[in-house]
């Protein structure tokens, strides 16, 4: 128990006395998004001898789009940084259905979001995780049930140089974006790059 306590004292002391640095930057890349929970509903039409029942199938496939944003990396220690971000992210899904008036179409929901990412560094690699809060700013082929999305993001990054790196993340929303016989939420995989501007001498 004393060893655990001593470890946390050393950890807190290391963070407290480290030189805190702030580095702004940009990030951009591709979104691969879809809604959760495909639909497969059977409808009955009593009294119709020719069409006693019909099945409606709705599949939510992956849609490709993009994201772009600004970041501020606050480095508290060699192994840890807090990175607030403001991102514009075009998400949505590709809907495929056997219903004639739906057919196959792309559904787009664009968000302006705030992310508070915790980054843990291991040499050139980093692991990041944090909450997200997104606000709907544009939508196409859909009437969303909510104008916000609260979720979590997690991923990996690799610093190719001191200022340039690549990253891959998964962002999962918890607030239903669309409710049609079930609650459908956002799932987005992101793959992109980031660049930071060294403001420290």
């Amino acid at each position: 128990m004393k060893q655990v306590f001593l470890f946390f004292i050393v950890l807190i002391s290391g963070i407290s006395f480290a030189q805190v640095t702030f580095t702004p930057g940009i990030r951009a890349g591709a979104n691969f998004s879809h809604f959760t929970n495909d639909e497969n509903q059977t409808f009955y039409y009593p009294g119709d001898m020719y069409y006693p029942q019909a099945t409606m199938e709705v599949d939510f496939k992956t849609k490709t789009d993009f994201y772009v944003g600004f970041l501020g990396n606050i480095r508290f220690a060699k192994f840890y940084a807090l990175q607030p971000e403001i991102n514009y992210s075009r998400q949505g899904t590709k809907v495929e259905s056997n219903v004639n008036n739906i057919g196959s179409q792309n559904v787009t929901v664009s968000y302006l979001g705030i992310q508070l990412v915790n980054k843990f560094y291991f040499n050139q690699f980093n692991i990041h995780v944090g909450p997200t809060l997104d606000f709907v700013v544009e939508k196409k082929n859909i009437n969303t049930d909510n104008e916000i999305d609260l979720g979590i993001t997690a991923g990996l990054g690799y610093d190719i140089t001191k200022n340039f790196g690549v990253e891959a993340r998964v962002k999962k929303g918890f607030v239903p974006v669309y409710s049609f016989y079930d609650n459908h939420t956002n799932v987005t995989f992101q793959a992109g790059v980031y660049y930071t501007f060294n403001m420290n001498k």
Side-chain angles (χ1 to χ4, degrees):
M1 188 67 182
K2 291 182 179 179
Q3 292 176 337
V4 175
F5 180 73
L6 181 61
F7 170 77
F8 280 105
I9 291 294
V10 173
L11 180 64
I12 294 172
S13 299
I15 295 177
S16 299
F17 294 103
Q19 182 182 3
V20 178
T21 60
F22 174 78
T23 308
I26 56 176
R27 59 188 299 264
N31 279 340
F32 306 94
S33 62
H34 67 88
F35 294 165
T36 59
N37 302 328
D38 290 338
E39 295 290 355
N40 193 327
Q41 299 289 335
T42 301
F43 297 87
Y44 296 91
Y45 300 94
D48 192 329
M49 60 180 294
Y50 298 103
Y51 301 99
Q53 68 181 40
T55 301
M56 181 189 70
E57 297 178 358
V58 178
D59 298 324
F60 298 119
K61 304 295 185 181
T62 299
K63 172 182 176 291
T64 303
D65 223 304
F66 75 95
Y67 71 89
V68 63
F70 299 94
L71 63 89
N73 187 280
I74 308 171
R75 194 74 172 260
F76 289 99
K78 183 179 180 181
F79 58 88
Y80 174 74
L82 184 63
Q83 183 170 289
E85 299 175 356
I86 298 177
N87 299 298
Y88 174 77
S89 181
R90 281 173 56 98
Q91 299 171 198
T93 190
K94 183 177 181 181
V95 179
E96 293 185 356
S97 174
N98 63 343
V99 180
N100 291 332
N101 62 343
I102 297 178
S104 178
Q105 60 181 331
N106 283 328
V107 169
T108 301
V109 184
S110 300
Y111 293 93
L112 185 64
I114 301 170
Q115 299 187 148
L116 196 60
V117 179
N118 297 278
K119 300 188 75 171
F120 302 92
Y121 292 87
F122 303 91
N123 295 322
Q124 290 176 276
F125 290 92
N126 60 80
I127 299 173
H128 39 265
V129 61
T132 68
L133 177 61
D134 297 328
F135 300 89
V136 175
V137 293
E138 185 182 6
K139 46 195 172 183
K140 182 180 179 182
N141 296 329
I142 187 175
N143 290 320
T144 56
D145 292 314
N146 294 285
E147 296 300 308
I148 65 170
D149 190 16
L150 181 66
I152 189 170
T153 186
L156 298 171
Y158 181 77
D159 296 329
I160 298 174
T161 68
K162 185 178 180 180
N163 301 99
F164 178 75
V166 294
E167 63 181 5
R169 293 184 187 178
V170 174
K171 187 171 72 168
K172 174 65 175 70
F174 300 126
V175 178
V177 63
Y178 181 59
S179 298
F180 184 73
Y181 292 96
D182 202 348
N183 289 329
H184 308 285
T185 55
N186 286 307
V187 178
T188 306
F189 175 77
Q190 297 182 327
V193 297
Y194 54 87
Y195 184 86
T196 56
F197 305 93
N198 189 6
M199 306 293 289
N200 305 294
K201 295 181 180 180

